[in-house]
Every structure is written in C-alpha cells, then in structure tokens.
Amino acid sequence: MRKHTMGLLAMAAASTLALSACGSAEVGEPTGDDTAAAGGETIRIGIKYDQPGLGLKEGSEFTGFDTDVARYVADKLGYSEDQIEWAETISANRETALQNDEVDMIFATYSITDERKGLVDFAGPYFVAGQDLLVAADNTDIMGPEDLEGKNLCSVSGSTSAENIKNDHAEGVQLVERPGYADCVTALASGAVDAVTTDDIILAGLAATEQNAGKFKVVGAPFSEERYGVGLPDGSTDTCEEVNTAITEMIEDGTWEELVAKHTEGADYSPNEELNPPEPDACE
C-alpha cells in the first residue's frame, strides 16, 4: 500500500512539472524581456476591424493589407492561421492594449512616433503612407492640397488631417466632418464634398471596395510621412528582430508588392516609390 501511494505521488509531481513547463512557453506569459519570440500555442494580434483594404472584419473573416502582413509575419514566427487570435485595437487604445498584455503585437496603421516609442516598442516599418486626397475618378481640378481653396473637404471627426490642410495649404477650404471615412466617401459620391483626406493607403482601401471600384482615385501627391510599424510590448527586442527579418523576407520574395496590389485594386493607386518598400529600423 505504501509503495502504491508513493508511486501515485511521484506521478502527480511529474504531471505538475510537465504542465508547468508547457505553460511557461505560451505567448502572453512573460519569459524574460520578451514574449512572442518564445513561441506558444497562440499569438494575439491586434488589427482594425473597420478599415476596408487594411483591417476589416466581415462576419468571421478578417481581410486587408495589415491583416495579411500580420499573417505572413506570424507564419514566419511559427504560427499557423488557426493559432492567431485576432483582437480589435482602435487607435486610442493601442498602447493600452500592449501595456495591459491584451495583445502580443499590433498591425493597425500604427504610425511610429517618438512619443509612442517612449511607451511601446516597434518593429518595421512595413509601409510608409502619406496624407493624400481622394476625389472622383474624373476629377482633373484637384491635383494637390493647394487646389482645395473654396472647396469642401471631408475628414473624420476628431482627425487633424483636414486642419493640417487648412493651416498649411489652403486657408479657404471648407471643412466637413463625418463619423467615419465610409461616410466621407458617401458624401464624395453625392457631390456634397469635393475631396476626402487621410493616409493614402487608407483612401486606396476605401476606393478599392466592390461598391466603390472605378468611382474614385487617390490624387497621388502625398504631403506627409506615416511610417506604419508593428506595435510590441516594451522590452520586446528579440521579437522585434524576428519581425524585422520576416518583413525583409516579405519584401524580397515579392509578397509585399502582391499584397499592396491585391488590397488597392481598382483604386488607381501606387505607393510612393521613394519611400516604399521600406527598410525596417534597427531594434532598440
């Protein structure tokens, strides 16, 4: 009886050790200064759910350039499609999501800035966007922000994009705000506004939707630089280097170019060739 009891205790101890070892490698549980680089059963990736062509959730499907870049990177890190847990990360909550361990990384038109780098880490950039204008496909009057004098310009409520144009390029522009960019595109289609402004690839994604294809065009005269990076928790140097390696491979094997074309088809859009494809920054 004693031998039997001792055997059961030994088996229980071995099981506890085995479970502990398995659990320590899962993404999201700290393993030193890094998490996602350690691998695990799943990886939690934050994306936008409401940006056609970039990050969009339709039913159970997740589509867009950002989303496909995330899939490519996850695959290079050793995660299959069914090991990805998608999470919505709106612009205002991206740093919080990383700091609170709600996601392991973020691909969500996340511009790299010095202020944000003080709170989180970044890999990339994987794309360099620029503020631009969306106009009707047959519009030949608006070639840049200076041509907006006296015209109606739509942007999303709370955005600084339109204010930047008014302050720096066309003082007489009439600003129109809408709750979302889809609402701005509707206003453009009806003639209520003459142009819509935000980052060029966001505009291209809107123009490339099935209902909008062929109706609009991106002017193609960007007047800012927005370097989209992969948001990571602070202290993710190893993961940053792995993600940068994946981004470089994506560019070199032609996948990056294919994904840009796929998600902007019908928008009459090409990314700024002087800035794209980008070379990832050194990890800090």
Side-chain angles (χ1 to χ4, degrees):
M1 188 74 173
R2 176 178 172 79
K3 289 182 179 179
H4 179 66
T5 302
M6 292 296 289
L8 290 176
L9 289 172
M11 290 175 62
S15 298
T16 300
L17 287 172
L19 287 171
S20 176
C22 291
S24 65
E26 291 187 7
V27 170
E29 295 184 10
T31 56
D33 73 335
D34 233 328
T35 55
E41 293 184 1
T42 61
I43 186 167
R44 302 162 300 169
I45 300 179
I47 59 172
K48 294 288 184 67
Y49 278 13
D50 60 353
Q51 284 188 340
L54 285 148
L56 184 68
K57 180 183 180 183
E58 295 181 292
S60 61
E61 298 295 318
F62 300 90
T63 62
F65 175 71
D66 281 353
T67 307
D68 278 348
V69 171
R71 288 188 175 98
Y72 185 100
V73 170
D75 179 71
K76 292 297 182 180
L77 294 180
Y79 297 92
S80 62
E81 172 81 18
D82 59 5
Q83 289 178 296
I84 298 174
E85 294 181 3
W86 302 109
E88 183 177 20
T89 47
I90 63 174
S91 296
N93 293 343
R94 288 177 295 202
E95 288 83 28
T96 302
L98 290 168
Q99 292 170 332
N100 291 347
D101 191 32
E102 297 169 12
V103 294
D104 298 303
M105 54 185 64
I106 292 177
F107 296 74
T109 60
Y110 200 2
S111 296
I112 302 171
T113 67
D114 289 340
E115 180 180 1
R116 289 170 177 165
K117 286 169 70 173
L119 301 172
V120 300
D121 282 359
F122 282 98
Y126 59 89
F127 190 86
V128 182
Q131 187 178 344
D132 211 322
L133 303 171
L134 186 72
V135 298
D138 60 356
N139 187 306
T140 57
D141 296 328
I142 300 175
M143 306 300 291
E146 295 81 5
D147 298 324
L148 291 170
E149 283 288 343
K151 293 184 168 56
N152 296 324
L153 174 67
C154 190
S155 67
V156 169
S157 302
S159 169
T160 60
S161 299
E163 286 289 348
N164 291 340
I165 291 177
K166 188 176 183 67
N167 293 336
D168 301 333
H169 301 281
E171 185 178 351
V173 67
Q174 304 300 310
L175 304 185
V176 178
E177 291 190 343
R178 291 289 186 270
Y181 288 114
D183 302 294
C184 278
V185 173
T186 299
L188 180 61
S190 70
V193 299
D194 300 291
V196 180
T197 189
T198 187
D199 293 353
D200 55 1
I201 194 169
I202 296 177
L203 296 173
L206 290 163
T209 61
E210 184 176 351
Q211 64 268 33
N212 292 333
K215 297 179 182 179
F216 309 105
K217 66 180 180 182
V218 180
V219 168
F223 44 96
S224 73
E225 287 186 21
E226 304 295 336
R227 304 168 70 248
Y228 292 170
V230 182
L232 301 168
D234 187 37
S236 299
T237 305
D238 291 344
T239 302
C240 174
E241 291 174 352
E242 291 193 20
V243 172
N244 277 354
T245 297
I247 291 171
T248 300
E249 292 180 11
M250 178 179 63
I251 291 168
E252 292 178 347
D253 68 18
T255 301
W256 182 92
E257 187 174 0
E258 291 174 4
L259 293 179
V260 172
K262 171 186 175 182
H263 292 294
T264 61
E265 183 179 2
D268 191 21
Y269 168 78
S270 297
N272 187 328
E273 294 182 356
E274 295 182 1
L275 303 175
N276 288 291
E279 181 177 342
D281 299 335
C283 298
E284 299 178 357

